[in-house]
Amino acid sequence: MTSFHFGGLLFYDLSDMNRCWRIAMTRQALYLLDRFNHSILHFLNSTTVSLSHTRLAHAYILKTGLSNDNHLTTKLLSLYANNFCFLDANLILNSIPNPNLFCFSTLIHAFSKLNNFGHSLRVFSQMLTHGILPDSYLFPSVVKACAGLPSLKAGRQLHGIISVSGFSSDAFVQASLLHMYLKCGHLREAHKLFDGLSQRDMVIWSALIAGYSRFGCVDEAKVLFYEMRNAGLEPNTVSWNGMITGFNHSGLYSEATSMFQKMHLEGFQPDSATISSVLSAIGDLKDFDMGIQVHSYVVKQGLGPDKCIVSALIDMYGKCSCTLEMSEVFNESDQMDVGACNALVTGLSRNGLVDNSMEAFRRFKGQELELNIVSWTSIIACCSQNGKDMDALELFREMQLEGLKPNSITIPCLLPACGNIAALMHGKAAHCFSIRIGISNDVYVGSALIDMYAKCGRIELSQLCFDKMPNRNLVSWNAIMKGYAMHGKAKETMEMFHEMQRSGQKPDLISFTCVLSACSQKGLTDEGWFYFNSMSQEHGIEARLEHYACMVTLLGRAGKLEEAYSMIKRMPFKPDACVWGALLSSCRVHNNVGLGEIAAEHLFKLEPRNPGNYILLSNIYASKSMWNEVDRVRDMMNSMGLRKNPGCSWIEVKNKVHMLLAGDKLHSQRKQIIEKLNKLSVEMKKSGYFPNHNFVLQDVDVQDKDEILCGHSEKLAIAFGLLNTPSGYPLRVIKNLRICGDCHVVIKFISSFEGREISVRDTNRFHHFKDGVCSCEDFW
DNA sequence: ATAGGGTTAG
């Protein structure tokens, strides 16, 4: 046992001394320090210095004027930084008259440890302005920060500095640069750098191989792998793992599993990282049989208790929809392991067992178990993917109260929830978070922000986020195109579609869905046909059902109903409910009874329990005053026990999302809302407006119809918004069904009468109302 | 006194 003297006392170990510190309290400790100030550095160097000790020592150093001692202050700086007290660390850094390389390095490393790469780079540039040059230890760290963001621009600048400062032959520096180029998606520059190296070690080879695998370049990765072996380097497990995880990452799951089999045949010993990766691939392939084989291999190898493997097994069975096997693995595991618990929460949610997932999470939270950021992210993702958007927001708040900080995965999991219910303020708060924690340049965060702002009606902010992204992928391009399409901006969607291709990004199935649906919002049939035909002819992508559905909508909305119907008859697949639904809703727009009945007949067979189809057909009949047929459809619905989905709208007022139901009789402000709507109705009638009774399904008398229209949830939400926000304040409403024609007219009137900008998002698209005009130009 | 590159749950 080591022992040492401090303050005239003999201590056996540091915890003993820590105890003494706690007992001694500040005065006693300061007294001891005073007498033996030469020992303070020794004490601060010990491994178990807590934050309170750091503060105590800091106080002492300030009091005694020792703060001029650069060694001491740098040590303090590092202690603060490693306790993630960046405010204190910065204060100290700024108080040092001539900070040196050590001071900056400490802070940069600490920021990088937390993945706060933006902050790392800021401190780095601060260091450069002090005229201090990095050493061979600092360069790899800063390059890694560029890769982590990722920022190709900063990475290239750094590469320049490295070249002129003569560090480019350092193996660590080289590997970090190579990794940076790969992370930024610049395979060619990475390979050029690789070619220029005189010495290549295992790490460099592995990095490049993993890079190629990650980008789905199977052949290049394999060639490199064999070249590496020809060069006399044996792959030690990391190279194999790099390939397997790389293939996984680019969605080449069968390549990943066959690589694992090869590795096994060649006699290499897989480690827990290998098994975890291959199990993840097996899960994505839903290859239950192979899963069982690897499971038994794991047991044979005695790797069963490995924590990573347990959660990978749970994950694999979850992906294979084998919830029974999944629970078995969990029940046999050490149930106090967070990894296993997280995998279970995700597995349950993935299989639609949302309530079980929530219940499991709550149970784990009640135990001694320390839930981590992955646990919270999993449950937040579960909620935002399953329509529990309010719960997702609430859990995010609860997580922060527990002292956990969101990261670059949490934010993109939360943002869809904000978008779904148009909680703009919550979305903006999440955006601020991402800037503060330095992840706003992350491509997943960026794409999720684009989507969130678009769904919240702020497409100009989507464009701003898009412009600011240092790196974009297919998802980012699709997100901005989907945003413009949703806002009915066909021109912008098409421009983006072409700009994407100019940038070298190839479109996929979703890109075409976006551009086709944009065309359908504006009735651009020629353009629609052009893109539809170019799919297979120019891009080698075969149109799927959803593209046919888009074309049916496009033709149908534009009034070319017969053309739409003949397209359905010609299509190479059996038309599904989406395709017939597109035809039926177009028939509703143009009130075409004949084709509407045909479409409805197919839909009643395909999805007999969807009330929406019956409502549409009945609307078509009602528009032609065919009340007997309306009754017949209503009787069909009644006999099957089906009811119209209740209309529901949301509006964010004072940072809170409010939900209003059609004909809501319980709302606390119901009286004021109805009064407001009645007043507006009087004004509207004065200006020559009459309610459009076509949009009322029932054959009731005129006054009742007026009342039913007044009860539409989007009108209630707008009245609620008018009552609870200052005049001139824009209103944003979302609705769970399509906006009704009468509401459309009324909202146009309100926008001019009240002088408000009003946007309404329905299931299909956005309507922006201003000065009595709607952005859809009444084509929808 | 600070500290380095490749693989690693959501």
Side-chain angles (χ1 to χ4, degrees):
Chain A
M1 185 183 280
T2 53
S3 64
F4 55 92
H5 289 274
F6 184 77
L9 297 163
L10 181 73
F11 292 95
Y12 288 104
D13 61 26
L14 275 169
S15 63
D16 205 15
M17 182 162 133
N18 282 343
R19 213 172 304 128
C20 177
W21 272 81
R22 243 170 275 136
I23 298 162
M25 308 298 285
T26 316
R27 262 178 61 197
Q28 181 68 13
L30 285 182
Y31 166 75
L32 290 172
L33 275 172
D34 221 10
R35 281 187 55 201
F36 298 92
N37 68 39
H38 63 278
S39 310
I40 188 170
L41 196 60
H42 178 88
F43 173 69
L44 289 178
N45 273 336
S46 65
T47 49
T48 54
V49 182
S50 67
L51 185 59
S52 52
H53 291 164
T54 306
R55 293 206 186 284
L56 195 59
H58 190 182
Y60 174 78
I61 288 168
L62 286 172
K63 184 171 170 268
T64 51
L66 279 170
S67 51
N68 289 330
D69 184 328
N70 248 4
H71 278 215
L72 271 179
T73 40
T74 308
K75 186 64 211 178
L76 267 183
L77 178 83
S78 102
L79 284 168
Y80 276 129
N82 287 312
N83 275 300
F84 310 125
C85 299
F86 292 114
L87 276 176
D88 303 82
N90 257 320
L91 267 173
I92 293 183
L93 182 70
N94 294 327
S95 75
I96 301 174
N98 292 308
N100 57 20
L101 179 61
F102 294 126
C103 307
F104 289 103
S105 293
T106 307
L107 205 52
I108 292 168
H109 287 302
F111 274 129
S112 288
K113 225 184 273 177
L114 284 189
N115 290 351
N116 282 344
F117 301 121
H119 288 110
S120 292
L121 290 188
R122 260 185 291 282
V123 178
F124 179 72
S125 70
Q126 201 187 337
M127 183 184 99
L128 292 182
T129 59
H130 274 77
I132 299 166
L133 284 177
D135 60 7
S136 68
Y137 285 90
L138 184 56
F139 270 128
S141 237
V142 189
V143 176
K144 200 182 173 185
C146 298
L149 282 172
S151 167
L152 181 66
K153 200 177 150 202
R156 281 199 176 127
Q157 285 178 357
L158 210 52
H159 194 167
I161 301 176
I162 287 167
S163 302
V164 294
S165 15
F167 284 101
S168 36
S169 56
D170 184 289
F172 287 89
V173 173
Q174 287 166 350
S176 66
L177 281 171
L178 189 82
H179 177 236
M180 183 273 295
Y181 283 122
L182 290 172
K183 187 78 200 304
C184 295
H186 279 243
L187 281 169
R188 211 176 294 164
E189 270 177 272
H191 207 126
K192 213 174 94 188
L193 192 121
F194 179 84
D195 285 337
L197 301 179
S198 50
Q199 292 268 322
R200 292 165 195 154
D201 66 6
M202 192 54 132
V203 172
I204 282 277
W205 278 100
S206 302
L208 193 62
I209 292 170
Y212 272 109
S213 319
R214 214 165 250 272
F215 283 95
C217 310
V218 185
D219 297 333
E220 287 88 342
K222 283 182 177 166
V223 167
L224 276 167
F225 193 74
Y226 296 120
E227 277 181 14
M228 172 176 76
R229 303 179 92 174
N230 285 340
L233 285 162
E234 266 304 298
N236 54 340
T237 306
V238 171
S239 326
W240 289 99
N241 289 357
M243 270 180 102
I244 294 170
T245 50
F247 288 146
N248 257 349
H249 210 258
S250 48
L252 301 164
Y253 307 118
S254 21
E255 292 289 344
T257 52
S258 66
M259 217 55 211
F260 172 75
Q261 282 162 343
K262 202 148 189 270
M263 177 181 184
H264 184 60
L265 284 176
E266 291 199 21
F268 287 94
Q269 188 67 39
D271 64 4
S272 67
T274 326
I275 306 271
S276 309
S277 288
V278 83
L279 282 172
S280 158
I282 291 170
D284 287 312
L285 289 169
K286 300 190 187 300
D287 192 335
F288 178 63
D289 293 336
M290 203 193 290
I292 296 236
Q293 283 181 42
V294 174
H295 190 171
S296 57
Y297 173 81
V298 163
V299 175
K300 257 182 252 165
Q301 295 287 312
L303 290 165
D306 184 288
K307 284 181 178 179
C308 287
I309 294 183
V310 169
S311 40
L313 279 170
I314 295 173
D315 188 65
M316 180 274 292
Y317 283 126
K319 283 182 187 161
C320 291
S321 312
C322 304
T323 45
L324 213 71
E325 284 81 357
M326 175 177 81
S327 308
E328 258 172 42
V329 175
F330 178 77
N331 291 332
E332 286 164 14
S333 74
D334 165 21
Q335 295 184 24
M336 292 308 279
D337 175 52
V338 192
C341 296
N342 292 347
L344 188 76
V345 168
T346 310
L348 290 169
S349 144
R350 184 176 278 142
N351 285 289
L353 304 166
V354 184
D355 294 334
N356 302 43
S357 178
M358 292 279 267
E359 189 265 327
F361 178 82
R362 289 285 166 212
R363 195 174 69 235
F364 297 147
K365 191 168 175 279
Q367 293 170 3
E368 296 272 303
L369 196 75
E370 230 178 88
L371 294 181
N372 57 23
I373 187 66
V374 179
S375 329
W376 287 91
T377 304
S378 306
I379 196 68
I380 288 170
C382 169
C383 292
S384 64
Q385 284 160 10
N386 289 290
K388 290 179 173 284
D389 305 296
M390 301 274 207
D391 291 294
L393 292 178
E394 184 49 43
L395 280 160
F396 185 69
R397 211 178 64 92
E398 197 182 325
M399 177 190 94
Q400 288 167 275
L401 290 178
E402 297 273 325
L404 275 129
K405 296 231 160 54
N407 64 19
S408 64
I409 316 274
T410 322
I411 300 290
C413 286
L414 174 77
L415 285 171
C418 305
N420 289 343
I421 52 170
L424 180 64
M425 286 308 159
H426 289 87
K428 276 189 174 174
H431 189 180
C432 290
F433 250 114
S434 71
I435 293 170
R436 221 178 325 156
I437 59 180
I439 55 157
S440 56
N441 283 329
D442 182 280
V443 68
Y444 293 96
V445 174
S447 306
L449 283 170
I450 293 170
D451 186 60
M452 180 276 292
Y453 280 125
K455 282 194 192 142
C456 289
R458 302 295 300 274
I459 186 70
E460 76 282 5
L461 295 180
S462 299
Q463 181 67 55
L464 207 69
C465 288
F466 182 82
D467 291 339
K468 280 188 175 295
M469 287 178 87
N471 290 291
R472 300 176 186 122
N473 62 13
L474 183 61
V475 179
S476 338
W477 286 99
N478 286 347
I480 189 79
M481 285 197 287
K482 185 177 150 226
Y484 277 125
M486 207 194 293
H487 284 262
K489 292 181 179 285
K491 196 173 122 250
E492 286 81 352
T493 314
M494 292 188 283
E495 276 170 9
M496 278 296 168
F497 185 73
H498 294 290
E499 206 179 314
M500 162 167 121
Q501 289 171 73
R502 275 198 295 277
S503 82
Q505 178 66 59
K506 285 190 182 131
D508 72 343
L509 289 163
I510 296 171
S511 323
F512 279 99
T513 311
C514 295
V515 78
L516 289 177
S517 83
C519 289
S520 77
Q521 306 285 2
K522 278 273 181 281
L524 304 173
T525 43
D526 291 346
E527 288 83 349
W529 275 119
F530 167 77
Y531 290 114
F532 185 80
N533 291 329
S534 78
M535 267 182 88
S536 60
Q537 287 165 14
E538 284 175 43
H539 300 271
I541 301 174
E542 284 308 317
R544 290 205 193 165
L545 272 167
E546 63 256 38
H547 303 102
Y548 281 93
C550 278
M551 285 307 286
V552 170
T553 304
L554 169 57
L555 296 168
R557 288 280 149 82
K560 302 181 175 186
L561 288 167
E562 287 296 338
E563 208 178 319
Y565 182 44
S566 76
M567 178 152 200
I568 295 180
K569 286 191 284 193
R570 277 205 321 271
M571 62 190 275
F573 322 97
K574 193 176 182 308
D576 69 349
C578 290
V579 175
W580 288 117
L583 185 65
L584 180 60
S585 44
S586 302
C587 289
R588 167 70 186 99
V589 173
H590 299 285
N591 294 324
N592 183 317
V593 177
L595 281 177
E597 283 177 335
I598 294 175
E601 208 172 299
H602 285 278
L603 284 164
F604 294 161
K605 278 187 203 133
L606 287 166
E607 35 176 44
R609 302 204 61 80
N610 181 350
N613 300 325
Y614 299 89
I615 302 285
L616 277 174
L617 181 64
S618 151
N619 281 345
I620 297 173
Y621 287 139
S623 74
K624 302 276 184 193
S625 302
M626 297 161 73
W627 302 117
N628 289 337
E629 282 77 6
V630 171
D631 283 346
R632 191 171 55 82
V633 177
R634 194 169 46 193
D635 289 345
M636 273 170 85
M637 285 182 74
N638 285 340
S639 70
M640 297 178 74
L642 294 178
R643 300 199 53 174
K644 181 179 185 291
N645 282 338
C648 182
S649 292
W650 292 264
I651 183 168
E652 194 181 58
V653 170
K654 291 178 194 130
N655 299 346
K656 199 170 175 289
V657 177
H658 299 262
M659 190 169 86
L660 290 107
L661 285 164
D664 194 341
K665 297 217 161 55
L666 300 167
H667 197 276
S668 58
Q669 289 191 28
R670 177 179 155 74
K671 209 171 141 246
Q672 293 98 311
I673 290 173
I674 297 298
E675 267 172 26
K676 182 76 190 173
L677 284 174
N678 283 340
K679 266 188 217 157
L680 284 166
S681 165
V682 171
E683 292 297 333
M684 277 185 271
K685 281 178 183 154
K686 267 194 228 162
S687 358
Y689 156 91
F690 292 99
N692 188 340
H693 296 148
N694 269 342
F695 300 100
V696 181
L697 174 63
Q698 295 98 326
D699 181 22
V700 284
D701 68 49
V702 175
Q703 205 184 340
D704 284 352
K705 281 183 185 175
D706 270 12
E707 255 185 57
I708 290 167
L709 285 174
C710 264
H712 276 180
S713 64
E714 56 267 52
K715 281 194 202 117
L716 298 178
I718 286 168
F720 178 80
L722 290 171
L723 290 168
N724 294 288
T725 56
S727 75
Y729 200 84
L731 302 178
R732 265 180 297 275
V733 171
I734 50 171
K735 197 191 168 190
N736 67 337
L737 302 170
R738 290 205 62 188
I739 189 171
C740 104
D742 180 69
C743 288
H744 198 264
V745 176
V746 173
I747 299 167
K748 279 198 284 188
F749 174 82
I750 296 177
S751 75
S752 83
F753 183 76
E754 295 272 346
R756 299 263 196 151
E757 284 181 38
I758 302 171
S759 69
V760 179
R761 185 184 94 197
D762 68 12
T763 41
N764 204 40
R765 58 163 294 164
F766 263 100
H767 296 265
H768 294 283
F769 300 90
K770 196 188 171 187
D771 303 326
V773 182
C774 178
S775 62
C776 74
E777 296 166 353
D778 300 336
F779 183 91
W780 50 283

